[in-house]
């Protein structure tokens, strides 16, 4: 995790964010969901038979997940449009987590099922990301673990006993999901009890539970903040991956900023993805939002207020609890920095432990270009400033893909925004810069 006072001294490439006063008008096809893809990979690796993943996201995070599973013995056959996964006995290996939270938190319980020693490491920034909750949980379940953060070592035992474990998952819902995904392969199953404060990103836990159900595993959720996965089979199946709705949000924000229209293809009518919440957020900020049937599927169509942020009415600020949808914070904060009334984004303390401390990073970068952002105990207060007060400058990405896309959004309205290391978006959306440039050029 890159701290805001620990910026690398290395010279990273900068990307001049496209600027426009013309309304954008584009049709965007967003690749598959990272969250669903990586959960499908885990369940396929642990299943009783082969699985096929159709429409999987191809990005750094998903490539790291596949490589991690292959390194401990899982069979992977990439056929382009489909990825076929063959479960095999798991063995020791070496895993590079990169900066992927799903790899560093979902794979350790799988490693406990391996026979042998599994070594984990990742990017330098990843070594400060919270991991002790997961590693202490595995210790409580009888697994030998060396270390409390990356790098760490897990000595797999083949078939762990499992049982009940108490954890404080207030730092990340991924700790719960990681244990649940592998729970059916522990001889006594797993019961996870959350004992801490507010549990963030509940929709991601609900996504995990729904995908387990699709694989034939029923999770008992009858008690608050407690989940029980019984020991039992996990079915191999064909997984069809939805578009990544969170990765779609910058393109929708472009419509809001410019007063244009963005159409996202194949928007699901029903989904467990938290990114779906962007529809209501954009409506509250002054956009028109419609879902339109196109053949057998649906498009999400967002049109910004006339004139966008330069129009008579502009964008409205928003006061909102983002605890369930914290991943949308950088997009919403970028819009709030351009809005004409104050915004308060709360319930997002856990973002301090993401790829970077996103609250501190957003505050620093918005203020550095003339905005007014104040860090709160659990979020951000972003106040409007005269449009001419905002100015160009270097927007640090902190090796965080969502910080990079936030800079691109602001650059639409503020000329001269130079986003550091736009290539960090390859974490979840490898073609972002090209897609963004084409969208603005075709406005």
């Amino acid at each position: 995790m890159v701290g805001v006072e620990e910026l690398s001294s290395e010279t990273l490439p900068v990307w001049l964010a496209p600027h426009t006063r013309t309304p954008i008008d584009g049709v965007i096809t967003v690749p598959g969901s990272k969250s669903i893809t990586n959960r499908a990979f885990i369940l396929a690796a642990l299943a009783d038979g082969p699985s096929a993943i159709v429409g999987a996201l191809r990005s750094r995070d998903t490539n790291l997940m596949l490589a991690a599973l292959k390194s401990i013995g899982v069979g992977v056959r990439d056929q382009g449009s489909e990825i076929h996964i063959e479960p095999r006995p798991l063995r020791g290996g070496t895993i590079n987590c990169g900066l992927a939270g799903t790899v560093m938190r979902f794979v350790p319980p799988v490693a406990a099922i391996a026979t042998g020693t599994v070594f984990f490491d990742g990017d330098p920034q990843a070594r400060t990301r919270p991991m002790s909750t997961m590693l202490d949980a595995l210790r409580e379940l009888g697994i030998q673990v060396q270390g409390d953060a990356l790098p760490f070592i897990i000595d797999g035992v083949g078939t762990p006993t499992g049982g009940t474990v108490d954890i404080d998952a207030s730092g990340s819902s991924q700790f719960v999901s990681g244990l649940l995904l592998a729970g059916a392969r522990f001889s006594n199953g797993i019961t996870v009890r959350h004992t801490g404060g507010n549990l963030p990103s509940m929709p991601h836990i609900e996504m995990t539970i729904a995908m387990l159900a699709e694989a034939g595993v029923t999770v008992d959720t009858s008690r608050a903040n407690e989940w029980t996965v019984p020991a039992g089979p996990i079915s191999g199946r064909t997984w069809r991956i939805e578009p990544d709705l969170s990765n779609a949000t910058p393109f929708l924000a472009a419509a809001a900023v410019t007063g244009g229209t963005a159409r996202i293809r194949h928007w699901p009518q029903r989904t467990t993805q938290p990114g779906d919440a962007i529809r209501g957020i954009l409506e509250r900020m002054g956009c028109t939002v419609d879902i339109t049937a196109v053949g057998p599927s649906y498009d999400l169509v967002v049109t910004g207020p006339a004139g966008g942020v330069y129009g008579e009415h502009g964008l409205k600020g928003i006061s909102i609890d983002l605890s369930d949808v914290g991943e949308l914070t950088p997009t919403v904060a970028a819009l709030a920095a351009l809005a004409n009334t104050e915004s308060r984004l709360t319930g997002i303390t856990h973002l301090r432990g993401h790829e970077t401390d996103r609250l501190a990073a957003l505050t620093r970068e918005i203020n550095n270009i003339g905005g007014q952002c104040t860090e709160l105990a659990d979020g951000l207060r972003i106040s409007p400033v005269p449009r001419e007060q905002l100015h160009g400058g270097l927007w640090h990405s902190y090796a965080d893909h969502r910080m990079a896309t936030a800079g691109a959004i602001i650059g639409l309205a503020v000329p001269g925004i130079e986003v550091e290391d736009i290539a960090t978006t390859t974490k979840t959306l490898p073609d972002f810069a090209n897609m963004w440039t084409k969208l603005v050029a075709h406005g």
Side-chain angles (χ1 to χ4, degrees):
M1 185 174 73
V2 178
V4 296
E5 302 302 332
E6 302 169 359
L7 300 178
S8 172
S9 60
E10 298 177 6
T11 300
L12 293 170
V14 297
W15 176 73
L16 181 61
H19 168 70
T20 185
R21 294 290 294 265
T22 302
I24 65 103
D25 186 5
V27 179
I28 302 100
T29 300
V30 180
S33 162
K34 179 202 74 174
S35 297
I36 296 176
T37 297
N38 275 353
R39 282 166 172 78
F41 286 163
I42 292 283
L43 290 171
L46 297 176
D48 297 322
S51 295
I53 293 86
V54 180
L57 174 66
R58 308 304 183 100
S59 72
R60 187 179 186 224
D61 276 17
T62 57
N63 290 340
L64 286 166
M65 180 65 84
L66 274 185
L69 296 172
K70 287 172 69 174
S71 76
I72 57 174
V74 177
V76 176
R77 184 162 45 92
D78 190 341
Q79 293 190 316
S81 60
E82 295 185 7
I83 296 174
H84 293 261
I85 293 182
E86 181 77 34
R88 295 174 183 168
L90 301 180
R91 59 172 187 259
T94 298
I95 289 174
N96 174 20
C97 299
L99 197 51
T102 48
V103 178
M104 66 182 73
R105 284 140 183 186
F106 291 0
V107 180
V110 178
I113 302 165
T115 301
T117 298
V118 184
F119 177 81
F120 289 77
D121 203 356
D123 293 358
Q125 303 95 319
R127 294 177 180 177
T128 59
R129 294 194 72 176
M131 275 302 303
S132 60
T133 298
M134 173 59 75
L135 301 180
D136 287 344
L138 292 176
R139 290 186 181 100
E140 190 174 334
L141 292 169
I143 308 301
Q144 289 191 352
V145 180
Q146 300 175 49
D148 294 307
L150 288 170
F152 59 84
I153 295 172
I154 291 177
D155 291 322
V157 295
T159 305
T161 302
T164 298
V165 62
D166 292 337
I167 66 171
D168 179 355
S170 55
S172 174
S173 67
Q174 289 174 345
F175 298 127
V176 175
S177 287
L179 292 165
L180 298 184
L181 286 167
R185 287 293 178 241
F186 286 59
S187 61
N188 292 334
I190 287 180
T191 294
V192 181
R193 294 192 298 219
H194 169 59
T195 59
N198 182 57
L199 183 59
S201 302
M202 271 300 297
H204 276 119
I205 295 176
E206 291 163 0
M207 174 189 291
T208 298
I209 293 168
M211 291 184 68
L212 280 163
E214 290 181 75
V217 179
T218 300
V219 181
D220 182 352
T221 60
S222 59
R223 297 180 179 85
N225 290 330
E226 181 175 312
W227 305 266
T228 297
V229 178
I234 299 174
S235 299
R237 65 188 304 276
T238 296
W239 296 96
R240 299 187 183 278
I241 309 300
E242 299 173 358
D244 193 308
L245 307 190
S246 292
N247 278 344
T249 64
F251 302 101
L252 299 174
V257 170
T258 65
T261 297
R263 178 185 291 267
I264 307 294
R265 301 300 315 278
H266 311 302
W267 197 272
Q269 279 192 291
R270 292 180 298 278
T271 183
T272 55
Q273 290 190 65
D276 190 49
I278 194 65
R279 295 188 291 135
I281 292 170
L282 290 174
E283 281 187 323
R284 289 177 59 184
M285 298 188 81
C287 298
T288 301
V289 179
D290 293 301
I291 290 185
T292 305
V294 180
S297 98
Y298 293 82
D299 290 356
L300 177 68
V301 183
V302 169
T303 301
V309 297
Y310 291 101
E312 180 182 355
H313 301 292
L315 283 177
K316 304 172 188 174
I318 188 170
S319 291
I320 186 169
D321 182 337
L322 292 173
S323 56
D324 278 348
V325 291
E327 65 199 58
L328 301 187
T329 299
T331 293
V332 178
L335 292 174
L338 301 171
N340 55 19
T341 59
E342 184 176 277
S343 296
R344 292 178 67 92
L345 315 181
T346 57
I348 44 179
T349 305
H350 60 288
L351 296 192
R352 301 187 195 283
H354 277 226
E355 284 84 342
T356 185
D357 178 342
R358 284 181 176 164
L359 301 187
L362 285 164
T363 300
R364 174 176 174 148
E365 298 310 309
I366 289 171
N367 290 342
N368 277 352
I369 61 164
Q372 188 173 337
C373 181
T374 303
E375 193 173 342
L376 307 174
D378 71 336
L380 302 171
R381 181 174 67 246
I382 302 174
S383 303
V385 298
R387 187 71 61 238
E388 61 273 13
Q389 183 173 317
L390 296 173
H391 57 79
L394 180 62
W395 180 278
H396 293 97
S397 68
Y398 306 85
D400 184 335
H401 57 132
R402 300 206 192 280
M403 284 298 300
T405 57
I409 293 167
I410 290 178
L412 288 172
V414 181
I417 297 293
E418 295 181 314
V419 180
E420 173 196 68
D421 192 21
I422 194 65
T424 195
T425 55
T426 61
K427 185 177 193 294
T428 57
L429 188 54
D431 200 33
F432 171 78
N434 185 47
M435 293 171 68
W436 190 261
T437 300
K438 285 183 177 179
L439 176 67
V440 177
H442 294 158

